[in-house]
Amino acid sequence: MTRPTAAPQGAPATQEPQRPPDATYWLEHAWLGTHVEPGVVVETADGRISEVRTRTETPPPGATVLRGLTLPGLANAHSHAFHRALRSTVQVGSGTFWTWREVMYGVAARLTPDSYHALARAVYAEMALAGITSVGEFHYLHHAPGGTPYDDPNAMGEALIAAAGEAGIRITLLDTAYLSSGLTKRRGGAPPDRHQLRFSDGTADAWAERVSALKDSGHARIGAAIHSVRAVPAEQLATVAEWAAARSAPLHVHLSEQTAENDACLAVHGRTPTRLLADHGVLGARTTGVHNTHLTDEDIALLGSSRTGTCMCPTTERDLADGIGPAARLQRAGSPLSLGSDSHAVIDLLEEARAMELDERLRSRSRGHWTAAALLHAASADGHAAIGWPEAGRIERGALADLMTIALDSVRTAGPPPRLGAETAVFAASAADVRHTVVGGRHIVRDGVHALVPDVPAALAESIAALRG
């Protein structure tokens, strides 16, 4: 069989974003982690913040003015870029996560390196318009349909890395081991079904050999992921965990998103998915469980005591009727929280932050589980740490110069005093209020217009239309 060709034609996979010039920004109002400060000057050099000056009432000569409230750039800690093509189409009729998955498989089957590059470039540009400066891309679409590797076995991953660079944002490619179709007592798990053949490398050792050819670059870092305990047999979990540990790379895993996964794991292994991961050395401070929805008290204690993170994706979890995860209990136990847009029902990290608090209010019938500041930390500093960019997510000297600015004079945000900017951002604003995005000192979104992808809606429409069956 002829092996499919590899690289996306839109740009070479090795393309790096242009080095940003040193710049000075004047922030009308800035959230500095604990409070809102008026009149802040941020100077950048070599992509980092070189100086922060407060109490500057007017912009210095030559400074770029960012009017509104400026926050650290946001981190989307869990993304499946190709799911953006499902928006609205999966809202017809009813169903479950499992019926939704069949529609998702149909889109996955039609993607090539070229078409995935085009779609991801548009999706990452949409993220930049929403103030997202870094994305954790949970990537398992590795091979051609039928499972045949491309000439470059990492063609699809390289397409995503190139797409992020062209859209001007950082990416952590969480290259995902996906080896089986379900839990079974047989060694190696159930074989992948026809939809999943292009996800699988066959074994964890083969996965490790392929992913080892991917390299970090200026805007991209390589991490690892275990798709789920359904998709990686128990005896191969340690291989993935050890690969990540040897490189001090982030390791992510879908965890207890569905009760059916828990039931199957108990039936086959006599323990919960969390306990299974703990027993095979997967949990730890570099690991993040995504969703962590249906957990026992012991599961919560295991995740908290090991400092394993939790990435909540509320807009997807409610869209798929997954349930409300115990985020407040997990954080109290010691699990750091981050946020993701997952299936991209919407791309709006402010909505994810708001939803985490409001969902907990519905469950508990009480208010105020997190302050606005705590929710912004989850969306920025803690999210960046979860995907391996711990130097991002703060407006302070030495941090990566990643900023996002929301308008304080839109129909959603007008009225409250600027000192309540954090509360306004989390509980009233939306991605539509983002006016500026700066990545590494480079002004990527200016006055709501993307500097590198001039017509993002058209890019989305065209790339999604190309995938219709």
Side-chain angles (χ1 to χ4, degrees), residues 209-434:
E209 181 179 0
R210 177 185 56 75
V211 73
S212 293
L214 290 163
K215 304 300 180 186
D216 291 355
S217 63
H219 77 290
R221 291 179 180 172
I222 309 303
I226 292 164
H227 179 273
S228 58
V229 297
R230 302 190 314 274
V232 177
E235 69 274 7
Q236 299 186 58
L237 291 170
T239 300
V240 184
E242 289 164 3
W243 185 94
R247 292 158 179 79
S248 297
L251 173 62
H252 287 216
V253 55
H254 290 133
L255 180 56
S256 290
E257 182 178 5
Q258 297 289 324
T259 54
E261 175 183 290
N262 290 355
D263 294 343
C265 194
L266 286 166
V268 171
H269 296 293
R271 67 199 85 176
T272 66
T274 301
R275 170 52 76 181
L276 185 69
L277 294 175
D279 290 348
H280 289 273
V282 175
L283 302 187
R286 285 180 296 94
T287 301
T288 297
V290 181
H291 305 303
N292 293 359
T293 307
H294 303 285
L295 302 177
T296 66
D297 291 345
E298 182 194 27
D299 293 339
I300 293 171
L302 283 169
L303 293 167
S305 63
S306 63
R307 300 292 296 167
T308 300
T310 294
C311 180
M312 301 297 292
C313 306
T315 65
T316 291
E317 290 149 6
R318 69 192 184 195
D319 182 56
L320 297 181
D322 286 343
I324 301 171
R329 291 184 61 201
L330 281 160
Q331 188 174 52
R332 287 196 298 270
S335 177
L337 299 180
S338 56
L339 296 165
S341 62
D342 193 358
S343 69
H344 310 315
V346 296
I347 293 178
D348 188 341
L349 262 288
L350 299 175
E351 172 62 21
E352 303 293 345
R354 174 164 56 245
M356 188 164 69
E357 166 67 23
L358 298 185
D359 286 355
E360 189 66 23
R361 292 182 185 186
L362 285 174
R363 187 232 298 274
S364 66
R365 292 183 290 175
S366 63
R367 304 176 76 223
H369 301 277
W370 293 276
T371 64
L375 293 167
L376 289 176
H377 276 292
S380 55
D382 291 343
H384 279 100
I387 59 173
W389 296 91
E391 67 271 50
R394 301 176 304 281
I395 302 177
E396 62 183 43
R397 187 173 182 177
L400 291 172
D402 297 356
L403 309 169
M404 62 88 79
T405 304
I406 64 167
L408 293 179
D409 57 359
S410 77
V411 294
R412 288 165 293 277
T413 61
R419 64 181 174 79
L420 296 179
E423 289 75 13
T424 301
V426 171
F427 293 105
S430 76
D433 296 307
V434 175

Side-chain angles (χ1 to χ4, degrees), residues 20-43:
D22 298 348
T24 299
Y25 293 93
W26 181 78
L27 320 181
E28 184 180 28
H29 302 280
W31 180 71
L32 299 182
T34 57
H35 67 287
V36 173
E37 185 81 25
V40 175
V41 172
V42 170
E43 294 188 3

Side-chain angles (χ1 to χ4, degrees), residues 433-454:
D433 296 307
V434 175
R435 294 293 176 265
H436 302 280
T437 304
V438 175
V439 183
R442 189 181 184 197
H443 207 164
I444 299 299
V445 174
R446 187 187 298 265
D447 294 319
V449 177
H450 201 292
L452 305 177
V453 185

